[in-house]
Amino acid sequence: MNNLFCVNTFKLLWFILYSMNNASRYSRFAPFIREYIYREKWDALHGIQEEAADAVFNGRDHLLIAAGTASGKTEAAFFPVLSVLNTLFRTGGKPLVLYISPLKALINDQARRLERILRTGRDSGEPVIPVWRRHGDVNESQKERFLEDPSGILLITPESLESLLLRRSRELGRIFYSLLFVVIDEVHVFMGSDRGSQLICQLARIEEAKADYGKQRNSKKKSAGCNAVTFRRIGLSATLGDYAGAQRWLSQGSNLFTVLVEGESKSSGKQLSLALDYAASGTGEAFYRSLYDQARNKRAIIFTNSRLEAEECAASLNALARGNCEAAVFRVHHGSVSALFRDEAEEKLKSGEGPQVICATATLELGIDIGDLDRIIQLGPPWSVSAFVQRVGRSGRRSGRAEMYFGITGKTVRKAAALSIEDLTSLPWELLRTMAVIQLYLEEKWIEPPKEKPLPYSLLIHQCLGILASLGEHNPEALIRHILSLPPFKHITPEDFRTLITWLEDCGCIGSTEEGTLILGLEGERIVNRHSFYPIFPGDETFRVVLEGREIGTVNFVPDPLSVLAVGGRRWVVKNIDPGKREIWVAETDDEGSERLWRGRGGGIHRRIAETMRRILAENGTLPYPYLSVGALKALEYGCRAARFLGITGRPLVYDEEETGEGLTLFLFPWTGSAGMRTIAEVLRNDEFKKILRIVFLEEETELYFRIITKYKPEEFRVSLIVVLKRAITAFAESSIRGEAPDFIRRKDLPYRDKYDYLLPPHLLAKQFAANMLDREALENLLTELF
C-alpha cells in the first residue's frame, strides 16, 4: 500500500512539475495524452510539438510541420488534434479527422500508433474516439460501419478517397460535414505529381459538398463546434527543400494561409556514416558476394531502383546464404508483392529475431516504423537527393547514427596511358551521379523543389469522367466552370476543355442527351467501372505482351520503345505499344546484355545533379571524399583524367579527330537535367533542324550527352547549332503567345507518360508535353555556352 502511495505521489508530482514548465501547451492536452506522455517517460515535448500545439489550439490556418525523421512529427500533429476531438466528443459532438497517406502500409502503421495513444484514454474512461482504416486491404464491413457513423479518425489513401467520392457522391455532405482537420503525411511525395493534384481536387470537392450540405440544412447552428465549411490541413514531411512551395501547395483552393512549424534544421540531426563502393559490371557473383558481406548479420534494407533488381538481389543473396549454410533472411518488398508477404517482411524486420534484410523499391522509402536498422544499402544511384535523404533516414532512428552503403557498378576502369574519345562510354557515370546526390545534400542540404504540371490534361480527363459518373449529367458550360475552378487546372483554358470534350465524345467516353447535357459514354463507363480508375498514376493497368498476335505474358507498366523486356524467362525487344488496347508488341532478340533491359522509369534527374557531376570532374579529384572506397577512388581518378584530356567540362562540344565514312563524330554535353536533355533531343531530332545540322546519326547516352555523326566540320556544326537553337527558342516564345506547342516537336512520336494521355487529341498531347516535360532554359544555357 505504501509503495502504491509513493508511486502515485511521484506520478502526481511529475505531472505538476511538467505542467508548470509547459502550461500553455501541456495543460491543454487531453488527460489521456498527458497520461501517455508520462507512460512513455518523456522528459519534455520536442520544440515542434510545442509549436504545433500552439498553432492548432490558437490558430485558424493550415499547418506545415517540417522536421527530420524520428523527430515526433506524428505526435506534433495528433496530440493537439486528438485533444480537440476529445473535447468535442465529451460534449456529444461527432467530429471527423482525415489522415491521408501515400501508402497502405503507412496507414496500417499509423493506425497502430494511434490505437496505442487512444488506449490510454480508454483505460481512464475517456470517450471512445474510433480509428478507421480505408484502403484496398480493409474489409467492406468495416468501411460500411464508418459510413453509418462518420466520426473519429479516418486513415485513407487518395485512391480510396477517390472511390468514396465516386461511389458515395450523394452522401458526401453528410459524411464530411463534421470534418475538422485533414492530416497529409509525406507531403513531398504528393507535391509536383498528378497524385498530389488529384488530392487537391478531392479536398476541393469535399469542401464544396460540405458547403452544399450546410445550405441544405438551412440552419446557422453547427454541430458541437464543427465548422460546416472550412477544415484545416496539416502537412507532415521530413524531406522538403522548399518550405514556401509546400506552404503554397497546402493552401491551394482554400482561403487560409499555411503556417510553418520547422524543426531545428532541415537535416535529421543524425550523424551520417556513408560508404560508396564501385565495381566493374559483368562481375555479378563477386558483386553480390561483396553485397552479402555488407548485409550479413545485419538488420537492413537494400534499396533498388526497380522491381526486377529487387527480385534479382534477393534471389542472389539467398543463394549465397544457402551456400554458406546460413539462414536465407533476404525478403522482397515492392508493389507487385502481395500485401500478405509485404506485411510479413515488415513485421520480421521490425520484430523478428536475428538478422533480417528486405530488398525493396521505394515502397519502404517512407515513414513506416520498421524498428532500428543497422544499415541502409543502396544499389545504383538514387533517383534524387530527396530519395537519398528519405532512405538514409530509415536507419539510426534510435541510435542517432544513420549508416548507408552504396553499391555502384559500371564499366571496367581502363589502365591504358593513352585516351581516346571512345573512352567517354567507360567513364564512371553512375559513380559520379551518386556522388553528386550525396554532395548536394552534405554541402547545401539541397533537395529538389517539386514542380507542378501547368497542363495536367490526363488528370483533367480523370476528374471529368469521375464527376460525370458521380454527379450525373451536366450542362457543358457548367461542367467546364465546375472543373476548371479546381486549383490544378488554373492554366487550362475553357477553349482547350471544349476541344477535349468534343474529342472524348468522338471516343465514346462522353455522351450527350437530347437536351444537350453531357453524360458518361459507354467507353467512359467501362473506364470508370474498373478498379484501376481510382489511382491517377499509371501502374495498376495490366498490359498484354504480344508476340505475333499471341499473348506471352502481362506487365503493369509501359516500357520505352526498343527497350528489352524480361517476360516468361526470356527477353523480348519492344516494337510497338497500343495503350488503347493495352498491348505491347514484341519480337525476339539476342540481346542478353543489361544496357537496354527495361528496369523502370525514374523521375529523371534535376539540372543541379548534372551540374554537380560536371563540377566533380572539373575538380580533378583535388577535394577529399572520405566515403569512397579504394575502387571508387580509382574510378573517380580515371574519370577526372579522361574528362580533363577530352575537355568535356570546359566546352559543350568535343569531337573525334578521325572522321569515318559517315562523317564526323561529335559529343554534345549540355550538362542539364532530364527535362533539358529531352528538350534538346526534340530539337536535334526535328527533321528540318537535322538537315540544317547535316546529322546522319544521333543517340542520347547515359542521360547526360549526345553522340552525333554529322557531315559538317566542328566549327561549321557549332555555328549551325547556334542558328538552330535560336530558332527553337523563338519557336518556344511564339508558341507560348499562341497557346500552342512549339512547331519543332515531333507530334507523331510523342510518348504517353501520364495515365490518360492516349485519350488526348494530338495537338493537346503536344501542348501538354511541351508545358510539362520540356525546359526552354536548357536551350538558352546551351546557346550561351556555345559562344
Side-chain angles (χ1 to χ4, degrees), residues 379-516:
L379 298 192
W383 284 112
S384 63
V385 181
S386 174
F388 160 63
V389 174
Q390 197 70 38
R391 293 176 180 188
V392 73
R394 307 302 283 138
S395 73
R397 289 197 160 200
R398 295 171 178 83
S399 66
R401 181 183 178 86
E403 189 172 308
M404 192 167 185
Y405 169 85
F406 296 85
I408 309 298
T409 60
K411 297 290 181 66
T412 302
V413 175
R414 282 167 44 84
K415 297 181 180 180
L419 291 167
S420 71
I421 197 76
E422 293 301 324
D423 285 305
L424 281 174
T425 60
S426 63
L427 259 67
W429 297 114
E430 301 285 84
L431 168 67
L432 291 165
R433 180 170 160 184
T434 307
M435 291 178 64
V437 166
I438 294 172
Q439 291 304 123
L440 278 168
Y441 186 71
L442 292 182
E443 295 170 2
E444 305 176 33
K445 296 297 181 288
W446 181 88
I447 298 172
E448 293 86 353
K451 179 186 174 185
E452 300 294 327
K453 295 179 180 178
L455 299 179
Y457 287 127
S458 177
L459 177 65
L460 181 66
I461 293 173
H462 181 270
Q463 292 296 297
C464 181
L465 297 181
I467 286 174
L468 286 176
S470 60
L471 300 179
E473 62 184 81
H474 272 66
N475 172 276
E477 291 304 313
L479 180 69
I480 290 171
R481 286 193 302 272
H482 182 195
I483 295 182
L484 293 190
S485 69
L486 299 175
F489 308 128
K490 57 182 176 289
H491 297 298
I492 295 177
T493 65
E495 292 73 26
D496 279 353
F497 198 1
R498 291 188 190 99
T499 300
L500 180 58
I501 287 173
T502 301
W503 184 269
L504 293 175
E505 286 185 278
D506 293 339
C507 295
C509 292
I510 292 178
S512 58
T513 65
E514 293 181 357
E515 292 77 19

Side-chain angles (χ1 to χ4, degrees), residues 413 426-428 432 617 620 633-645 648:
V413 175
S426 63
L427 259 67
L432 291 165
L617 285 173
N620 294 319
L633 279 170
K634 287 182 179 178
L636 176 62
E637 179 186 351
Y638 165 74
C640 290
R641 183 162 62 92
R644 183 171 63 251
F645 173 79
I648 62 175

Side-chain angles (χ1 to χ4, degrees), residues 607-608 611 614 652 668-673 676 680 725 729 775-787:
R607 180 189 303 163
R608 289 291 312 276
E611 291 171 347
R614 181 185 193 177
L668 176 63
F669 280 84
W671 295 110
T672 188
I680 295 167
L725 289 173
I729 292 168
D775 179 9
R776 172 180 166 180
E777 191 177 342
L779 301 180
E780 296 168 344
N781 291 341
L782 179 56
L783 179 62
T784 300
E785 294 233 4
L786 286 168
F787 280 104

Side-chain angles (χ1 to χ4, degrees), residues 148-166:
E148 293 170 4
D149 182 16
S151 61
I153 304 169
L154 175 63
L155 300 97
I156 194 168
T157 61
E159 292 68 46
S160 290
L161 185 55
E162 188 70 43
S163 170
L164 186 59
L165 296 179
L166 180 64

Side-chain angles (χ1 to χ4, degrees), residues 172-187:
L172 295 182
R174 176 187 67 83
I175 294 170
F176 293 110
Y177 182 68
S178 296
L179 179 61
L180 287 181
F181 298 98
V182 174
V183 180
I184 304 173
D185 209 348
E186 308 290 357
V187 164

Side-chain angles (χ1 to χ4, degrees), residues 20 56 140 197 202-203 384 425 598 636:
M20 289 173 61
V56 171
E140 291 300 319
S197 295
Q202 291 167 342
L203 297 182
S384 63
T425 60
W598 180 253
L636 176 62

